[in-house]
C-alpha cells in the first residue's frame, strides 16, 4: 500500500480524539507544519467524524494518502462498503474552482489506472468546500472503469453525499486487507518522471514493475554498473540503449544523469539531447516544480535560480558540442554523458555544412557522433557515453541513425569498449549499413538488458507501437490483429471532421489530463482548417501551461509537429492527416507542398523521414487518439478528395471505428 500518514478503521477513528490524530499527522510530516495546516486538519477530522456518525459506516479511513501522481497527497481516502471515496477539502474556500475539481479528479483517476486493487472498484471523487453552502446535486453518473463524475459538497451535506453514492451504486464489499496489499504500477509521463527524479525519487519508485513490463530499473542499474566498472578499471565505454517508442529510454538516461549531479565528483554526469523542444520543456518543468516544492516548504526560490540548476542537469547537445570546440583539446568536466535520441545525430555532410554556415569553421570533416566521441576521448583515464537510440525515428535532413556512431568507433576509436543490445539488428536501426563495420571494433558485448521491449507511454495499450508500425508498413492482417488486442482499453477513432475530433478529445479527458492536436510538419494544406504549421509555436506554453492559457495544447488552436512532440507525450491526441502522406492501392505516396502545388518526394531518405514523422505522431498518446482525415474540397486542386479518401478508407479497413 502507498504511504499514508494516518490510517484506521472507521469505528476507531470516531472514538479517537482530534488532537491525537493531528499529532500523528504532524509526526509524519517531512517539513514544519504551519498553523494553517493544523487548523485544516482539525476541520477535516471533525467534519468526517460528524458525517460518518450519521449512518452506519463500516470500512477504513486514510489521511494524507500518497497518490502515484508523484509528490501529491489526497486529504482523505475513505473506503465504505463497495466504494472508494477520494475526498479533497478546501478549507476557507467558497468556490469550486476548476483547479480544485481537476485535483481530486486526478487522484481518483490515478487510483483507477495504477493501483491494482482499485481498478474495478467504484471510485467517487468528492470536493468538500468548508465555507460554502453547496446546493444538493443529482447523483452523478458513472464513467468507464467505475470512476464517478466529481461531486461538490459542503460539510453540512457531506454525509448525505456519501450515502447517496452508496445507495446509487453497487458492487461487492471491498476487502480492506486485499485493498491495502494492492501494488502500484505507476506509468508517469516523461515530464512527471523527470520532476520526480530531480526531486529525489528513483526509477523503481516511479515505474511499473509488474511481470508484464520490462523493468526500467534493470536497464538503469545495468548502465550504472557499466559506469562504475569503467571508473574502477580505467577504461572508455560506450553503450547503446534501444527500445520501442515510449519504452522509457529518456527516463533511463535521466536516471543515470541524476545519480551524479555533484560537479566536484568524477562521476558527474549530464543528460544531453539535440531535441530542442524536449530540452526546453524539461528544463522549464523542473524549474517550475522546484520553485513550487520550495514554496510549499516555506522557502523562497527565484525561478531563474531554479532554471540554472535544471540546465546543469539537462543540456542541449549542440551547446555541449560548441563548448568542446571552444575548449580546444581540454576534456569536458563530465566523465559520463548521456546522448538522447542518438539516432538523430548529424552525418558528416550535415555537420560540415552547419559548422561552415553557422560557426564559420571551414574544413570541418567529422560527423557529429565522431566529434562527440572525440571530445570524451580527451579524458586520459576513463569515460562513458550512453547513447539512447530509437528505431525508425529519424525525421530530419542529415540525421544519421546508428551507422555514424559505429563507423566512428570502428575507424577512429576502436580502443573503446562497446555494449549494445541484440535488438539493434532490427531493420529499423538500419543494421545492414553498419553491421560489417562493427566487426572492426575488437571489444563488443551484447546484452538484452540494454533493450526496453514494452511501451510505458500507453499504459492502456502496450502494443500500440507495434500496431502503428504494422499500419505504416501496410502489414494489414497484422495491424488488424494488433488493433483487436488494444481497442478495448485504448480507444482509437477516425473522423472526417476536425470539430468532431475536438469534441471527442474534450469529452474523453478528465481532470488535468492533457490533450492536443498534432500534425506533420509537411501538412501545409490544413490552413483552411485554421492549422498553419508555418506559424511559430512555443512548445513550453503548449505543453506546460494550464487550461486557461490560450497558448496551451488544451485550447486546440495550435497544432504541434513531430519536431515539437518527439520524445514527449499527451494523454489524448488528435492527429490531423494531410495530403503529404497518401494511401494508394500500390502503397504510400509521399508529397511536399512547394509553391502552389504538391510535388512527389523521390528521395528515399526524405520518404523515410515522412513515414517516421507519422510514426512519431501516432505514438504520442498515452490513453487514446482520434485521427482526422479531412474530406478535401473538389473545388481546390491542392485538397482534392482523392488525396484523402483512400487513406480514410484504409484506416477504416484496419478496424478503426468511424466517429461521425
Amino acid at each position: 500500500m502507498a504511504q499514508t500518514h494516518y490510517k484506521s478503521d472507521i469505528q476507531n477513528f470516531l472514538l479517537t480524539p482530534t488532537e491525537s490524530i493531528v499529532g500523528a499527522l504532524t509526526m509524519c510530516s517531512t517539513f514544519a507544519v504551519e498553523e494553517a495546516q493544523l487548523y485544516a486538519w482539525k476541520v477535516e477530522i471533525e467534519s468526517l467524524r460528524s458525517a460518518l456518525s450519521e449512518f452506519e459506516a463500516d470500512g477504513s479511513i486514510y489521511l494524507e494518502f500518497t497518490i502515484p501522481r508523484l509528490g501529491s497527497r489526497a486529504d482523505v481516502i475513505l473506503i465504505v462498503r463497495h466504494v472508494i471515496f477520494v475526498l479533497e477539502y478546501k478549507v476557507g474556500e467558497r468556490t469550486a474552482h476548476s483547479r480544485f475539481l481537476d485535483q481530486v479528479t486526478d487522484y481518483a483517476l490515478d487510483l483507477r489506472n495504477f493501483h491494482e486493487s482499485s481498478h474495478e472498484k467504484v471510485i467517487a471523487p468528492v470536493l468538500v468546500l468548508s465555507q460554502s453552502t453547496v446546493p444538493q446535486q443529482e447523483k452523478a453518473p458513472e464513467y468507464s472503469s467505475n470512476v464517478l463524475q466529481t461531486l461538490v459538497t459542503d460539510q453540512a451535506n457531506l454525509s448525505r453525499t456519501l450515502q447517496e453514492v452508496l445507495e446509487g451504486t453497487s458492487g461487492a464489499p471491498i476487502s480492506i486487507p486485499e485493498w491495502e496489499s494492492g501494488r502500484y504500477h505507476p506509468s508517469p509521463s516523461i515530464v512527471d518522471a523527470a520532476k520526480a527524479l530531480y526531486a529525489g525519487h528513483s526509477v523503481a519508485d516511479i515505474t511499473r514493475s509488474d511481470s508484464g513490463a520490462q523493468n526500467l530499473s534493470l536497464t538503469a542499474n545495468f548502465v550504472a554498473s557499466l559506469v562504475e566498472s569503467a571508473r574502477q578499471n580505467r577504461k572508455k565505454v560506450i553503450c547503446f540503449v534501444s527500445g520501442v517508442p515510449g519504452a522509457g529510454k529518456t527516463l533511463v538516461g535521466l536516471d543515470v544523469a541524476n545519480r551524479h549531479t555533484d560537479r566536484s565528483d568524477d562521476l558527474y554526469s549530464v543528460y544531453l539531447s539535440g531535441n530542442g523542444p524536449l530540452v526546453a520543456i524539461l528544463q522549464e518543468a523542473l524549474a517550475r516544480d522546484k520553485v513550487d516544492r520550495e514554496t510549499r516548504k516555506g522557502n523562497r526560490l527565484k525561478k531563474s535560480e531554479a532554471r540554472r540548476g535544471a540546465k546543469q542537469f539537462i543540456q542541449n547537445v549542440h551547446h555541449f558540442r560548441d563548448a568542446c570546440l571552444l575548449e580546444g583539446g581540454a576534456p569536458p568536466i563530465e566523465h559520463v554523458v548521456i546522448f538522447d535520441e542518438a539516432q538523430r545525430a548529424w552525418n558528416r555532410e550535415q555537420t560540415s555544412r552547419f559548422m561552415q554556415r553557422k560557426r564559420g569553421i571551414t574544413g570541418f570533416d567529422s560527423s557529429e557522433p565522431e566529434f562527440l566521441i572525440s571530445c570524451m576521448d580527451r579524458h586520459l583515464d576513463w569515460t562513458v557515453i550512453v547513447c539512447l537510440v530509437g528505431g525508425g525515428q529519424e525525421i530530419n535532413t542529415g540525421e544519421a541513425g546508428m551507422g555514424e556512431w559505429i563507423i566512428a568507433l570502428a575507424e577512429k576509436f576502436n580502443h573503446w569498449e562497446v555494449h549494445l543490445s541484440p535488438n539493434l539488428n532490427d531493420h529499423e536501426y538500419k543494421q545492414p549499413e553498419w553491421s560489417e563495420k562493427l566487426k572492426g571494433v575488437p571489444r563488443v558485448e551484447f546484452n538484452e538488458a540494454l533493450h526496453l521491449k514494452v511501451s510505458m507511454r500507453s499504459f492502456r495499450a502496450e502494443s500500440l507501437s507495434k500496431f502503428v508500425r504494422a499500419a505504416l508498413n501496410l502489414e494489414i492482417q497484422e495491424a488488424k490483429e494488433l488493433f483487436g488486442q488494444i481497442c478495448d482499453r485504448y480507444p482509437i477513432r477516425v473522423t472526417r471532421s476536425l470539430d468532431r475530433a475536438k469534441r471527442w478529445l474534450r469529452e474523453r479527458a478528465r481532470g488535468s489530463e492533457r490533450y492536443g492536436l498534432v500534425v506533420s510538419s509537411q501538412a501545409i494544406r490544413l490552413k483552411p482548417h485554421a492549422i498553419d504549421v508555418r506559424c511559430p509555436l512555443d512548445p513550453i506554453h503548449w505543453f506546460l501551461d494550464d487550461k486557461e492559457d490560450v497558448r496551451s495544447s488544451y485550447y486546440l488552436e495550435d497544432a504541434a509537429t513531430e519536431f515539437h512532440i518527439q520524445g514527449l507525450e499527451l494523454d489524448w491526441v488528435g492527429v490531423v492527416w494531410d495530403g503529404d502522406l497518401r494511401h494508394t492501392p500500390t502503397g504510400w505516396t509521399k508529397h511536399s507542398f512547394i509553391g502552389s502545388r504538391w510535388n512527389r518526394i523521390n528521395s528515399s531518405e526524405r520518404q523515410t523521414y515522412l513515414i517516421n514523422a507519422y510514426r512519431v505522431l501516432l505514438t504520442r498518446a498515452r490513453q487514446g487518439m482520434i485521427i482526422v482525415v479531412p474530406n478535401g474540397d473538389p473545388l481546390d486542386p491542392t485538397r482534392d478528395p482523392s488525396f484523402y479518401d483512400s487513406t480514410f478508407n484504409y484506416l477504416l479497413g484496419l478496424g478503426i471505428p468511424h466517429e461521425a
Side-chain angles (χ1 to χ4, degrees):
M1 189 185 78
Q3 180 184 0
T4 185
H5 285 184
Y6 173 88
K7 72 172 183 175
S8 170
D9 64 80
I10 290 175
Q11 295 307 314
N12 186 59
F13 167 77
L14 294 175
L15 298 174
T16 304
T18 298
E19 292 73 16
S20 297
I21 300 174
V22 170
L25 293 171
T26 303
M27 289 290 292
C28 291
S29 179
T30 56
F31 48 87
V33 178
E34 302 291 336
E35 192 65 34
Q37 180 62 75
L38 293 173
Y39 174 73
W41 280 337
K42 291 177 182 178
V43 170
E44 293 170 17
I45 293 165
E46 291 169 6
S47 167
L48 286 165
R49 183 177 287 114
S50 174
L52 295 172
S53 297
E54 293 183 21
F55 67 101
E56 184 179 344
D58 293 325
S60 291
I61 187 169
Y62 309 83
L63 305 182
E64 295 295 318
F65 182 91
T66 299
I67 292 291
R69 187 159 295 199
L70 312 163
S72 298
R73 290 185 183 278
D75 287 339
V76 183
I77 299 293
L78 182 65
I79 299 180
V80 182
R81 303 175 199 165
H82 61 282
V83 178
I84 302 170
F85 292 96
V86 183
L87 277 60
E88 186 66 19
Y89 276 82
K90 295 302 175 185
V91 176
E93 294 289 346
R94 298 178 179 275
T95 305
H97 296 294
S98 60
R99 64 181 182 276
F100 299 159
L101 294 168
D102 286 349
Q103 181 182 9
V104 67
T105 302
D106 288 344
Y107 293 160
L109 293 174
D110 280 355
L111 277 176
R112 187 272 307 275
N113 290 333
F114 306 128
H115 184 226
E116 64 181 4
S117 299
S118 301
H119 287 332
E120 304 302 326
K121 303 297 187 293
V122 176
I123 304 176
V126 182
L127 176 65
V128 185
L129 302 175
S130 68
Q131 299 297 317
S132 176
T133 301
V134 180
Q136 271 313 119
Q137 53 196 344
E138 294 183 3
K139 185 169 71 282
E142 291 190 33
Y143 272 71
S144 61
S145 300
N146 299 326
V147 177
L148 304 187
Q149 177 70 44
T150 299
L151 299 166
V152 181
T153 190
D154 52 35
Q155 295 184 78
N157 288 300
L158 177 57
S159 179
R160 180 178 172 184
T161 298
L162 299 178
Q163 292 182 64
E164 286 185 344
V165 171
L166 290 167
E167 293 167 2
T169 58
S170 62
I174 296 172
S175 166
I176 299 300
E178 289 182 8
W179 186 83
E180 290 186 351
S181 65
R183 297 170 298 171
Y184 276 118
H185 303 311
S187 180
S189 70
I190 191 60
V191 171
D192 284 340
K195 291 190 293 188
L197 288 171
Y198 197 55
H201 293 267
S202 70
V203 164
D205 294 333
I206 62 176
T207 58
R208 293 168 46 193
S209 57
D210 49 301
S211 59
Q214 170 70 40
N215 188 352
L216 286 171
S217 297
L218 175 66
T219 301
N221 290 335
F222 182 78
V223 173
S225 71
L226 291 178
V227 172
E228 186 58 36
S229 174
R231 182 173 74 156
Q232 290 182 1
N233 298 298
R234 293 300 190 252
K235 57 186 180 181
K236 298 178 178 180
V237 173
I238 184 169
C239 70
F240 296 88
V241 177
S242 60
V244 301
K249 298 181 292 293
T250 297
L251 181 53
V252 168
L254 290 171
D255 177 71
V256 173
N258 192 58
R259 295 186 185 207
H260 306 288
T261 57
D262 184 353
R263 292 174 69 88
S264 64
D265 186 350
D266 66 347
L267 282 171
Y268 174 64
S269 309
V270 66
Y271 166 91
L272 303 170
S273 174
N275 184 334
L278 174 67
V279 171
I281 288 166
L282 290 180
Q283 288 176 344
E284 179 67 15
L286 295 186
R288 292 183 185 184
D289 185 62
K290 179 71 171 177
V291 171
D292 288 344
R293 284 188 285 111
E294 291 302 316
T295 300
R296 289 196 297 270
K297 295 178 183 178
N299 303 326
R300 295 186 63 184
L301 177 68
K302 293 182 178 179
K303 187 188 285 188
S304 58
E305 183 179 345
R307 194 178 285 119
R308 281 195 295 273
K311 287 182 177 179
Q312 289 184 357
F313 174 37
I314 297 173
Q315 298 178 23
N316 192 302
V317 68
H318 303 309
H319 298 166
F320 176 84
R321 177 201 61 204
D322 292 348
C324 288
L325 281 170
L326 294 174
E327 291 168 358
I333 185 175
E334 301 89 355
H335 275 73
V336 182
V337 293
I338 298 95
F339 294 122
D340 199 359
E341 298 183 16
Q343 78 282 354
R344 296 186 64 189
W346 291 341
N347 59 26
R348 187 182 306 271
E349 292 74 22
Q350 180 71 8
T351 308
S352 299
R353 283 196 298 268
F354 176 86
M355 289 297 185
Q356 182 170 347
R357 186 175 67 254
K358 297 293 187 179
R359 299 291 181 266
I361 301 174
T362 59
F364 192 92
D365 193 33
S366 297
S367 66
E368 196 168 31
E370 180 182 328
F371 180 70
L372 294 172
I373 297 174
S374 74
C375 295
M376 299 306 294
D377 196 53
R378 297 172 188 174
H379 286 287
L380 299 179
D381 47 2
W382 70 278
T383 187
V384 176
I385 296 175
V386 181
C387 292
L388 311 176
V389 183
Q393 296 187 50
E394 301 86 0
I395 58 175
N396 207 357
T397 302
E399 293 179 356
M402 273 286 296
E404 291 290 349
W405 291 95
I406 300 302
I407 290 171
L409 289 165
E411 295 182 352
K412 300 288 183 66
F413 306 101
N414 63 6
H415 56 288
W416 280 59
E417 185 174 295
V418 180
H419 295 260
L420 34 74
S421 83
N423 300 75
L424 285 169
N425 290 330
D426 192 291
H427 72 278
E428 286 192 355
Y429 298 96
K430 300 183 179 180
Q431 182 265 351
E433 299 178 12
W434 52 261
S435 58
E436 286 299 317
K437 287 288 185 181
L438 190 62
K439 296 177 181 178
V441 183
R443 289 178 291 177
V444 178
E445 293 187 17
F446 291 89
N447 196 298
E448 289 282 357
L450 290 172
H451 183 71
L452 298 167
K453 303 175 182 178
V454 178
S455 174
M456 306 296 283
R457 173 180 297 131
S458 304
F459 58 87
R460 289 187 176 178
E462 295 163 355
S463 298
L464 174 66
S465 60
K466 294 180 182 178
F467 164 70
V468 170
R469 173 179 170 177
L472 291 175
N473 288 348
L474 300 175
E475 297 164 351
I476 297 175
Q477 189 57 41
E478 181 178 358
K480 287 181 177 180
E481 293 174 0
L482 288 167
F483 182 76
Q485 296 173 17
I486 68 176
C487 61
D488 288 341
R489 302 187 68 233
Y490 185 95
I492 302 177
R493 299 291 185 270
V494 61
T495 184
R496 309 307 298 265
S497 168
L498 181 59
D499 287 340
R500 184 67 194 97
K502 291 179 178 180
R503 289 199 302 273
W504 190 89
L505 292 170
R506 293 186 179 112
E507 289 166 1
R508 294 301 179 282
R510 298 186 63 190
S512 63
E513 291 176 344
R514 185 167 286 275
Y515 52 87
L517 299 175
V518 299
V519 298
S520 159
S521 59
Q522 298 298 312
I524 303 299
R525 293 306 298 142
L526 294 177
K527 287 179 68 176
H529 301 280
I531 295 175
D532 189 349
V533 297
R534 295 181 179 179
C535 289
L537 178 146
D538 187 324
I540 291 175
H541 292 301
W542 191 86
F543 204 87
L544 296 180
D545 289 350
D546 58 27
K547 296 175 181 178
E548 284 70 42
D549 196 312
V550 298
R551 299 165 297 181
S552 75
S553 66
Y554 290 116
Y555 257 73
L556 299 175
E557 291 185 359
D558 297 320
T561 72
E562 68 272 20
F563 299 116
H564 299 121
I565 201 70
Q566 188 173 41
L568 295 158
E569 63 268 306
L570 296 88
D571 289 292
W572 303 89
V573 168
V575 181
V576 190
W577 201 303
D578 200 9
D580 52 337
L581 184 64
R582 307 172 193 171
H583 180 268
T584 72
T586 58
W588 296 111
T589 60
K590 296 90 174 177
H591 305 261
S592 63
F593 195 84
I594 301 175
S596 62
R597 63 190 181 90
W598 291 103
N599 291 318
R600 182 76 69 96
I601 297 175
N602 295 316
S603 163
S604 60
E605 185 178 52
R606 291 183 59 210
Q607 289 180 0
T608 298
Y609 292 152
L610 184 57
I611 286 289
N612 287 348
Y614 274 87
R615 188 192 315 276
V616 169
L617 300 177
L618 293 166
T619 54
R620 294 307 96 188
R622 288 162 53 82
Q623 300 200 51
M625 67 176 161
I626 186 165
I627 303 169
V628 184
V629 184
N631 285 306
D633 183 350
L635 300 179
D636 182 352
T638 69
R639 296 190 297 125
D640 191 288
S642 65
F643 299 168
Y644 305 94
D645 290 346
S646 181
T647 301
F648 175 74
N649 291 328
Y650 172 67
L651 296 173
L652 284 180
L654 298 180
I656 302 176
H658 180 204
E659 188 73 19

